[in-house]
Amino acid sequence: MVSFKDLGLVNTREMFAKAIDGGYAIPAFNFNNMEQLQAIIKASAETKSPVILQVSKGARNYANQTLLRYMAEGAVEYAKELGWENPQIVLHLDHGDSYELCKSCVDFGFSSVMIDASSLPFEENIALTKKVVEYAHQFDVTVEAELGVLAGVEDEVQSEVSHYTKPEEVIEFATRTGCDSLAISIGTSHGAYKFKPEQCTRDPKTGKLVPPPLAFDVLDAIMEKLPGFPIVLHGSSSVPQEYVDMINKYGGKLPDAVGIPEEQLRKAAKSAVCKINIDSDSRLAFTAAVRKVFAEKPEEFDPRKYCGPARDEMERLYKHKIIEVLGSDGKA
């Protein structure tokens, strides 16, 4: 058993309470490798933003659970080296799909876990979530749950259609499960193709797809039912067109990739939404930078020479999200 506190990590309880009161959202950035982790920590340390390091089931298998534990501990020490005296860093399991996986993450030093039983019937979702909560809370680990289903594909999570969260269910769900935060569905989606072209309109000037707006009426109804309760948005990458264009320019193939407009995320961050998940954007930044190096310097084979620029591009992206979209800079 490894306690997250021994690794220098924190859980989400206090940072979410501050975020709701302060009208900003905590960035939850997924990572799969060292370069992503370095970029996240550097951006967070330099902006003094609390941050959630998200690891999916697939990323945990990719990294190895033991190495991941030491990477998290190293991230805290790296943040201190960068001058962040009291790092506010969470290690969070994203989309845990079983009690056994969540328990294993708690045992290996995660400070927060998500149990995603949203595809199950309501009563089964409650039962599984409650079981995870009862185990995690013994060790002061916070638990995120989900009501509603997001469309799209990201790692092991995929669904053809979305189902908005039903506001009339949230009080019973939160009360009976004891979860610490609730991921909801209001129109966000996983992956780089968050909407099909037929769901969008096209800008007559640029020809680019314009996605439909998020269902803020659903969010408002949920906040009315659960005042002050921490709400989470998944699938909230904006899919920056500059990265899509770079990838396509240098040999990639991402036609009609579209994400969530940043102005809608800014609006959400000022509400009870206190955690916003971003994954695809950093994947796009990484891939765009690597493709550019390979296209311009085909003789290059030193990983540092293409992963380094990718790391720098992701750091720039993370700082932009922290300062310009989520408003979490200077909050830690």
Side-chain angles (χ1 to χ4, degrees), residues 291-312:
R291 280 192 173 276
K292 184 173 188 290
V293 172
F294 283 165
E296 295 179 347
K297 300 177 181 178
E299 74 283 359
E300 190 57 74
F301 67 96
D302 182 348
R304 293 170 296 182
K305 297 296 176 62
Y306 51 85
C307 288
R311 180 181 61 191
D312 295 343

Side-chain angles (χ1 to χ4, degrees), residues 122 125-126 129 145-147 169-179 181-182:
F122 185 67
N125 188 351
I126 286 178
T129 300
E146 182 166 343
L147 260 183
E169 293 181 342
V170 297
I171 295 176
E172 181 181 0
F173 185 88
T175 302
R176 289 177 60 188
T177 62
C179 65
S181 60
L182 184 64

Side-chain angles (χ1 to χ4, degrees), residues 14-307:
E14 185 177 343
M15 65 169 61
F16 282 177
K18 289 181 178 178
I20 293 172
D21 288 344
Y24 60 92
I26 309 294
F29 297 129
N30 288 67
F31 80 99
N32 299 276
N33 60 26
M34 181 186 74
E35 286 79 15
Q36 282 181 304
L37 182 59
Q38 287 175 313
I40 293 168
I41 296 304
K42 198 152 184 278
S44 301
E46 291 185 6
T47 60
K48 294 297 186 289
S49 168
V51 69
I52 296 170
L53 302 174
Q54 291 206 146
V55 180
S56 66
K57 177 182 176 181
R60 185 174 185 245
N61 291 338
Y62 180 80
N64 175 270
Q65 60 187 18
T66 303
L67 279 174
L68 192 57
R69 163 195 164 188
Y70 290 103
M71 288 176 79
E73 187 174 18
V76 173
E77 294 306 314
Y78 179 42
K80 292 177 181 177
E81 282 183 19
L82 293 171
W84 195 3
E85 292 182 10
N86 185 30
Q88 300 295 295
I89 300 172
V90 173
L91 180 63
H92 174 75
L93 170 66
D94 190 24
H95 287 290
D97 60 1
S98 69
Y99 170 79
E100 291 74 21
L101 175 61
C102 292
K103 179 181 182 299
S104 178
C105 287
V106 171
D107 294 347
F108 267 82
F110 279 63
S111 56
S112 177
V113 295
M114 178 195 186
I115 177 63
D116 181 1
S118 59
S119 62
L120 299 177
F122 185 67
E123 287 295 331
E124 292 180 35
N125 188 351
I126 286 178
L128 180 52
T129 300
K130 185 172 187 287
K131 185 177 180 183
V132 171
V133 167
E134 288 175 347
Y135 184 78
H137 280 186
Q138 296 178 78
F139 308 101
D140 204 24
V141 172
T142 41
V143 178
E144 175 185 329
E146 182 166 343
L147 260 183
V149 179
L150 272 67
V153 179
E154 197 162 306
D155 283 4
E156 306 83 10
V157 182
Q158 56 183 314
S159 177
E160 283 293 321
V161 294
S162 65
H163 302 287
Y164 285 173
T165 303
K166 298 175 182 176
E168 63 270 20
E169 293 181 342
V170 297
I171 295 176
E172 181 181 0
F173 185 88
T175 302
R176 289 177 60 188
T177 62
C179 65
D180 300 285
S181 60
L182 184 64
I184 63 170
S185 174
I186 59 168
T188 54
S189 180
H190 291 121
Y193 297 92
K194 298 190 180 298
F195 305 98
K196 296 177 181 178
E198 57 266 27
Q199 295 176 279
C200 306
T201 56
R202 284 197 183 269
D203 187 316
K205 294 182 179 179
T206 65
K208 302 294 185 184
L209 293 176
V210 179
L214 299 179
F216 281 100
D217 58 327
V218 176
L219 174 59
D220 290 342
I222 291 170
M223 290 193 299
E224 186 178 334
K225 298 281 187 183
L226 290 175
F229 194 83
I231 302 299
V232 177
L233 281 190
H234 283 242
S236 297
S237 284
S238 298
V239 188
Q241 200 60 48
E242 61 177 301
Y243 296 140
V244 174
D245 291 344
M246 277 179 68
I247 289 170
N248 291 337
K249 176 181 177 181
Y250 294 115
K253 191 176 181 181
L254 289 176
D256 290 333
V258 63
I260 309 300
E262 289 188 341
E263 61 266 22
Q264 295 197 45
L265 297 177
R266 290 189 190 98
K267 180 179 178 181
K270 290 180 170 63
S271 70
V273 173
C274 58
K275 173 178 179 272
I276 292 182
N277 293 13
I278 297 168
D279 186 2
S280 295
D281 284 355
S282 63
R283 297 184 186 197
L284 292 167
F286 190 103
T287 302
V290 169
R291 280 192 173 276
K292 184 173 188 290
V293 172
F294 283 165
E296 295 179 347
K297 300 177 181 178
E299 74 283 359
E300 190 57 74
F301 67 96
D302 182 348
R304 293 170 296 182
K305 297 296 176 62
Y306 51 85
C307 288

